[in-house]
């Protein structure tokens, strides 16, 4: 069973750094496979709590090599909730790679465990508009939400702005899943690269 690893986070940093330096990123240092995956970037300033800067992935299985290469950049540069990450921000970033596993259909919208399951929410509103969105397993616990608060927040993420009633909640289709994840800060990335390659990347600070 493949698990999220240090080498996967290193490859995401390699990919983002190479985008700004113009270098070709080194080949991945992990075995190939196919998994649904996500890449999350957070920014840490002055020892504060990490703040989300981008999180995008796929709920369908992708080749790990091309998947992490694509989503390392997509989540950093094209998450519409945030401006693109700039080169000068990279030293303050941490990267989390997630592999999604164990997809199951929940019996109702509360049939999942905080801290264990992520959720894919799907429903059709009264105007016959379909909505869907997902939260990774760590989100509800990090935000301190209850199950209902998590689901209601996911409804808004899915783009539905109408009233959230109990009758609406009973129409939700929830697919729960688990994940394997690994988180690495840029300083740990630099230490890894220096130890294994003998050199460290030089960022010129351009946007």
């Amino acid at each position: 069973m493949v698990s999220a690893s240090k080498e996967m986070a290193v490859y995401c940093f390699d990919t983002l750094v190479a985008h700004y330096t113009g270098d070709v990123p080194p080949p991945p240092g992990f075995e190939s496979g196919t998994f649904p995956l996500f890449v999350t970037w957070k920014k840490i300033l002055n020892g504060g709590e990490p703040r989300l800067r981008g999180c995008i992935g796929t709920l369908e299985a992708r080749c790990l090599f091309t998947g992490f290469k694509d989503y390392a950049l997509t989540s950093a540069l094209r998450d519409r909730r945030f401006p693109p990450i700039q080169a000068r921000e990279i030293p303050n970033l941490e990267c989390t790679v997630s592999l999604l596993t164990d997809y199951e259909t929940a019996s109702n919208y509360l049939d999942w465990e905080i801290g264990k399951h992520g959720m894919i929410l799907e429903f059709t509103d009264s105007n016959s508009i379909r909505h869907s969105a997902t939260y990774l397993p760590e989100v509800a616990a990090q935000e301190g939400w209850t199950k209902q608060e998590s689901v209601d927040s996911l409804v808004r993420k899915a783009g539905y702005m109408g009233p959230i009633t109990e009758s609406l909640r009973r129409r939700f289709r929830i697919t729960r899943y688990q994940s394997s994840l690994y988180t690495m800060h840029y300083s740990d990335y630099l230490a890894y690269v220096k130890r294994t390659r003998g050199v460290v990347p030089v960022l010129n600070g351009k946007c």
Side-chain angles (χ1 to χ4, degrees):
M1 179 68 180
V2 177
S3 298
S5 67
K6 177 189 303 182
E7 289 75 19
M8 294 173 185
V10 166
Y11 187 56
C12 290
F13 267 119
D14 281 342
T15 301
L16 183 59
V17 168
H19 173 76
Y20 285 109
T21 62
D23 297 328
V24 176
F30 51 89
E31 294 184 4
S32 185
T34 56
F35 278 88
L37 59 90
F38 272 73
V39 178
T40 303
W41 297 103
K42 292 185 178 182
K43 186 175 180 179
I44 303 174
L45 288 176
N46 303 320
E49 288 295 313
R51 301 188 66 175
L52 187 63
R53 280 295 279 111
C55 179
I56 296 180
T58 174
L59 298 171
E60 298 181 358
R62 281 283 306 271
C63 168
L64 294 181
F65 292 170
T66 58
F68 280 127
K69 183 177 181 179
D70 290 346
Y71 286 105
L73 293 180
T74 300
S75 60
L77 306 175
R78 291 184 285 278
D79 187 328
R80 290 177 293 178
R81 298 171 292 177
F82 307 99
I85 289 174
Q86 300 181 5
R88 63 176 178 267
E89 297 180 82
I90 292 178
N92 297 311
L93 294 181
E94 69 174 24
C95 177
T96 298
V97 293
S98 302
L99 303 181
L100 311 187
T101 63
D102 301 304
Y103 282 57
E104 302 172 305
T105 300
S107 60
N108 59 70
Y109 73 92
L110 298 177
D111 183 26
W112 57 281
E113 294 182 35
I114 292 175
K116 178 180 179 179
H117 294 117
M119 295 179 292
I120 303 168
L121 167 71
E122 299 170 286
F123 69 98
T124 301
D125 65 23
S126 57
N127 295 318
S128 299
I129 298 173
R130 296 180 63 184
H131 299 268
S132 65
T134 189
Y135 276 146
L136 296 173
E138 61 269 24
V139 171
Q142 289 174 350
E143 296 294 336
W145 291 333
T146 65
K147 289 184 180 182
Q148 183 167 308
E149 288 171 339
S150 302
V151 171
D152 288 357
S153 175
L154 195 54
V155 171
R156 298 306 188 205
K157 184 181 180 184
Y160 177 75
M161 295 300 148
I164 304 174
T165 62
E166 190 62 26
S167 62
L168 178 66
R169 294 189 187 102
R170 287 196 292 267
R171 299 206 306 270
F172 293 163
R173 181 178 184 273
I174 299 287
T175 301
R176 65 190 189 190
Y177 59 85
Q178 299 179 50
S179 71
S180 167
L181 56 84
Y182 190 94
T183 299
M184 170 178 275
H185 189 273
Y186 182 74
S187 59
D188 299 318
Y189 163 73
L190 283 186
Y192 176 92
V193 170
K194 185 175 182 179
R195 184 176 69 253
T196 59
R197 303 173 191 165
V199 295
V200 295
V202 177
L203 295 168
N204 60 17
K206 70 178 182 179
C207 294

